[in-house]
């Protein structure tokens, strides 16, 4: 398959299997985010809740788009790490996969709601940093720090936002509901007794939304991980979306060339002038490639990775020039270049994609993983964050916060930690009920420690593994 030698094909198959394992672990590691509230409020039986959550996770991956997946792919400038030695690409893949799986399994074993998002991103950053300091690297940094900054801010602010929003929702509920209803929704569930049907409907709805949006965000990270593997090991087949005719980019390239040509380079910094020259040079290269005969309306295998590199350089350098604010262009030209550099309708449509079979494979892995291994972290979420039993209002508030935060983040293409958004939402609801004293300090401390340690530990682990695999492969 893909014209690979047997040993390389085995490496590819093993890598994809490991990526599915990561997403499977992600599923049972993060199940508690959706089902803890419906289980602890007796709204659904555990087995029913887990199966339903697994199905909605599957739907979230399959129908949730690929914006988050491309955020993961673009974090690591994989085109810099790839050379003629496919084993170097395998070293990249194995190191980030193994470090992510090791940390996820370790935190699951100890019942800590750590973030799969932090884990995967830390693993990717570790590989990029290790590559940066390799003697043979003469191409610059191995990390897309602009994208990394966006992801850092998303991961940092989302738990804070979840904590604050849960407090606000609890305050609104207390002030807006009539006393009889307030007494019901703020009461603790009775043992083995389901809540009133309308409360049950609300909690099942919020569980469904959290599950779906978890799939659309966390599941898409698995899609991005598989695309990193495919681009790294078989770039000729997956560097570009081969379902799109390269002739279709010619009009886009001409439009970008004309708009960039209208920039007054004398007003740009030295680095932006270099970026501008790079854009024009890469456009010329692509136009030359397109002008040649293209059998089956595709770039030749040997040209596809170079074409991907050119498209990404055009996109990134254009965005950099616009963000620096010194391009004296009219609003029409600015809007056109922004669309071309950062939109799926621009030139990035040729590089930012995922085959249907990849999305289906990750959907199944996450959905199946959601159906097992849920108990350890459900106990932490439901019993050990606050000192009181989870009330109906607290469960609904926390899940509403989680669903809305994750949904907006998925729409913006930003990965967030489902675990930490929901955990912080529950913590916020506990504080809103009886103040900070209502939190269990030991659990909160452990969650915060896991949150703080995840990035540096996974970065160190994946970077060390990358150096090791580069040595042995």
């Amino acid at each position: 398959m893909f014209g690979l030698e047997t040993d390389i094909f085995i490496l590819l198959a093993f890598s994809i299997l490991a990526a599915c394992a990561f997403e499977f672990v992600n599923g049972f590691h993060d199940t508690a985010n959706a089902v803890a509230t419906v289980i602890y409020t007796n709204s659904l039986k555990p087995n029913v809740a887990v199966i339903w959550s697994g199905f909605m996770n599957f739907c979230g991956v399959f129908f949730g788009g690929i914006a988050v997946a491309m955020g993961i792919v673009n974090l690591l400038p994989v085109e810099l790490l790839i050379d003629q030695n496919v084993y170097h690409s395998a070293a990249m893949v194995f190191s980030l996969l193994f470090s992510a799986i090791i940390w996820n399994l370790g935190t699951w074993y100890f019942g800590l709601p750590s973030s799969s998002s932090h884990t995967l991103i830390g693993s990717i950053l570790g590989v990029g940093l290790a590559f940066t300091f390799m003697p043979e690297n003469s191409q610059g940094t191995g990390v897309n720090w602009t994208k990394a900054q966006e992801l850092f801010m998303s991961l940092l602010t989302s738990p804070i936002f979840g904590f604050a929003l849960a407090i606000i929702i609890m305050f609104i509920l207390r002030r807006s509901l009539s006393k009889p209803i307030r007494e019901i929704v703020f009461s603790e569930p009775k043992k083995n007794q389901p809540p009133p049907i309308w409360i049950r409907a609300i909690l099942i709805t919020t569980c469904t939304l959290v599950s779906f949006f978890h799939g659309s965000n966390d599941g898409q990270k698995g899609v991005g991980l598989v695309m990193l593997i495919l681009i790294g090991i078989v770039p000729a087949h997956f560097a570009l979306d081969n379902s799109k005719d390269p002739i279709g980019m010619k009009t886009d390239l001409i439009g970008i060339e004309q708009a960039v040509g209208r920039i007054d380079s004398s007003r740009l910094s030295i680095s932006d002038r270099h970026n501008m020259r790079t854009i024009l040079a890469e456009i010329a290269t692509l136009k030359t490639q397109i002008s040649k005969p293209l059998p089956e309306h595709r770039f030749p295998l040997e040209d596809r990775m170079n074409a991907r590199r050119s498209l990404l350089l055009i996109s990134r350098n254009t965005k950099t020039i616009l963000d620096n604010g010194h391009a004296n262009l009219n609003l029409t030209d600015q809007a056109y270049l922004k669309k071309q550099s950062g939109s799926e309708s621009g030139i990035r449509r040729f590089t930012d994609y995922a085959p249907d079979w990849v999305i289906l494979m990750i959907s199944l892995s996450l959905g199946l993983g959601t159906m097992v291994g849920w108990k350890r972290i459900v106990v932490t979420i439901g019993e050990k964050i606050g000192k009181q039993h989870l009330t109906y209002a607290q469960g609904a508030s926390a899940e509403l916060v989680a669903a809305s935060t994750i949904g907006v983040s998925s729409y913006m293409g930003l990965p967030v930690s489902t675990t930490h958004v929901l955990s912080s939402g529950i913590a916020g609801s506990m504080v809103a009920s009886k103040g900070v004293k209502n939190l269990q300090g030991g659990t909160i401390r452990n969650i915060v420690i896991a949150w703080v340690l995840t990035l540096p530990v996974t970065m160190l682990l994946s970077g060390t593994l990358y150096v090791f695999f580069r040595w042995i492969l």
Side-chain angles (χ1 to χ4, degrees):
M1 186 179 288
F2 306 128
L4 298 175
E5 298 175 3
T6 302
D7 57 341
I8 303 300
F9 178 76
I10 292 173
L11 282 175
L12 175 63
F14 182 78
S15 299
I16 292 177
L17 182 63
C20 290
F22 168 80
E23 205 57 40
F24 184 85
V25 172
N26 186 8
F28 73 69
H29 193 279
D30 284 359
T31 305
N33 301 323
V35 301
T37 54
V38 289
I39 290 174
Y40 273 89
T41 56
N42 303 314
S43 298
L44 286 176
K45 296 292 185 183
N47 291 339
V48 175
V50 171
I51 291 172
W52 177 245
S53 178
F55 174 70
M56 292 311 300
N57 267 285
F58 171 89
C59 294
V61 182
F62 203 77
F63 299 108
I66 60 169
V68 175
M70 291 305 104
I72 294 296
V73 172
N74 294 327
L75 177 61
L76 188 69
V78 67
E79 65 279 1
L80 294 183
L81 277 69
I82 294 173
D83 53 30
Q84 298 303 312
N85 189 337
V86 71
Y87 294 102
H88 290 176
S89 299
M92 170 192 76
V93 169
F94 290 160
S95 56
L96 65 89
L97 277 172
F98 289 167
S99 61
I101 291 173
I102 289 169
W103 183 254
N104 258 3
L105 282 175
T107 51
W108 166 81
Y109 179 80
F110 290 104
L112 294 176
S114 74
S115 167
S116 296
S117 303
H118 282 68
T119 301
L120 181 58
I121 290 169
S123 299
I124 292 173
L125 290 175
V127 171
L129 285 172
F131 174 78
T132 299
F133 296 104
M134 290 227 160
E136 68 270 25
N137 175 28
S138 59
Q139 305 178 73
T141 181
V143 177
N144 181 353
W145 288 112
T146 301
K147 176 59 67 174
Q149 185 176 8
E150 292 179 10
L151 302 189
F152 280 145
M153 290 304 299
S154 174
L155 293 173
L156 177 65
T157 58
S158 55
I160 299 172
F161 178 78
F163 181 83
L165 186 57
I167 294 176
I168 293 171
I169 292 176
M170 290 284 287
F171 177 80
I172 293 173
L173 290 176
R174 285 188 182 279
R175 291 302 181 102
S176 61
L177 297 178
S178 62
K179 185 176 180 180
I181 295 178
R182 189 166 64 244
E183 289 178 351
I184 295 174
V185 299
F186 282 93
S187 64
E188 294 184 4
K190 296 179 181 179
K191 189 174 183 180
N192 299 323
Q193 183 177 329
I197 188 67
W198 59 275
I199 292 181
R200 193 177 183 189
I202 291 172
L203 290 168
I204 293 174
T205 299
T206 56
C207 166
T208 301
L209 290 173
V210 172
S211 299
F212 180 85
F213 288 125
H214 174 262
S216 71
N217 199 282
D218 275 48
Q220 287 302 318
K221 294 158 195 163
V223 173
L225 183 55
V226 173
M227 291 309 297
L228 277 176
I229 292 169
L230 294 174
I231 295 170
I233 296 180
V234 279
H237 294 275
F238 294 98
L240 297 174
D241 185 352
N242 294 317
S243 67
K244 292 183 169 57
D245 190 340
I247 297 297
M249 72 174 69
K250 188 171 183 179
T251 301
D252 298 324
L253 293 174
I254 292 172
I256 295 172
E257 185 177 39
Q258 291 174 346
V260 170
R262 287 191 281 271
I263 297 176
D264 183 0
S265 60
S266 65
R267 301 181 60 177
L268 301 179
S269 65
I270 294 175
S271 61
D272 278 347
R273 290 178 198 174
H274 173 73
N275 290 337
M276 184 174 172
R277 289 193 295 270
T278 300
I279 293 169
L280 297 175
E282 297 299 339
I283 289 175
T285 300
L286 284 173
K287 288 168 67 176
T288 300
Q289 289 179 298
I290 295 171
S291 65
K292 298 177 182 178
L294 299 175
E296 301 181 353
H297 301 282
R298 296 179 179 180
F299 282 117
L301 289 173
E302 64 273 12
D303 291 340
R304 290 177 190 171
M305 195 62 203
N306 287 330
R308 175 186 176 84
R309 184 180 289 109
S310 295
L311 288 167
L312 292 179
L313 282 172
I314 293 168
S315 172
R316 290 172 185 170
N317 289 357
T318 300
K319 185 177 185 303
T320 298
I321 291 174
L322 292 175
D323 289 346
N324 288 341
H326 299 300
N328 58 324
L329 292 173
N330 58 47
L331 295 178
T332 301
D333 282 340
Q334 289 186 42
Y336 178 79
L337 290 178
K338 285 181 180 179
K339 174 185 173 183
Q340 287 293 337
S341 63
S343 168
E344 292 180 12
S345 60
I347 58 172
R348 294 295 286 267
R349 69 185 184 276
F350 293 94
T351 60
D352 292 5
Y353 81 104
D356 289 341
W357 66 267
V358 172
I359 298 174
L360 178 60
M361 179 179 66
I362 294 299
S363 301
L364 289 171
S365 299
L366 182 64
L368 292 173
T370 302
M371 297 179 191
V372 300
W374 51 273
K375 204 162 194 176
R376 287 179 182 270
I377 297 176
V378 163
V379 171
T380 299
I381 293 288
E383 298 179 7
K384 297 183 179 180
I385 291 179
K387 292 181 179 179
Q388 69 177 92
H389 196 292
L390 205 64
T391 66
Y392 302 129
Q394 289 170 333
S397 298
E399 289 210 321
L400 184 61
V401 166
S404 57
T405 303
I406 300 164
V408 171
S409 299
S410 297
Y411 176 77
M412 297 175 64
L414 295 172
V416 293
S417 168
T418 309
T419 304
H420 290 143
V421 170
L422 186 71
S423 298
S424 63
I426 290 177
S429 70
M430 292 291 176
V431 170
S433 295
K434 296 182 179 179
V436 177
K437 64 182 180 181
N438 198 29
L439 296 176
Q440 293 198 36
T443 302
I444 299 299
R445 182 176 62 252
N446 289 339
I447 292 174
V448 171
I449 289 173
W451 185 79
V452 170
L453 290 180
T454 295
L455 276 178
V457 169
T458 51
M459 286 171 66
L460 179 62
L461 184 57
S462 65
T464 303
L465 286 173
Y466 180 64
V467 173
F468 173 72
F469 285 131
R470 282 291 297 265
W471 176 62
I472 66 172
L473 291 177

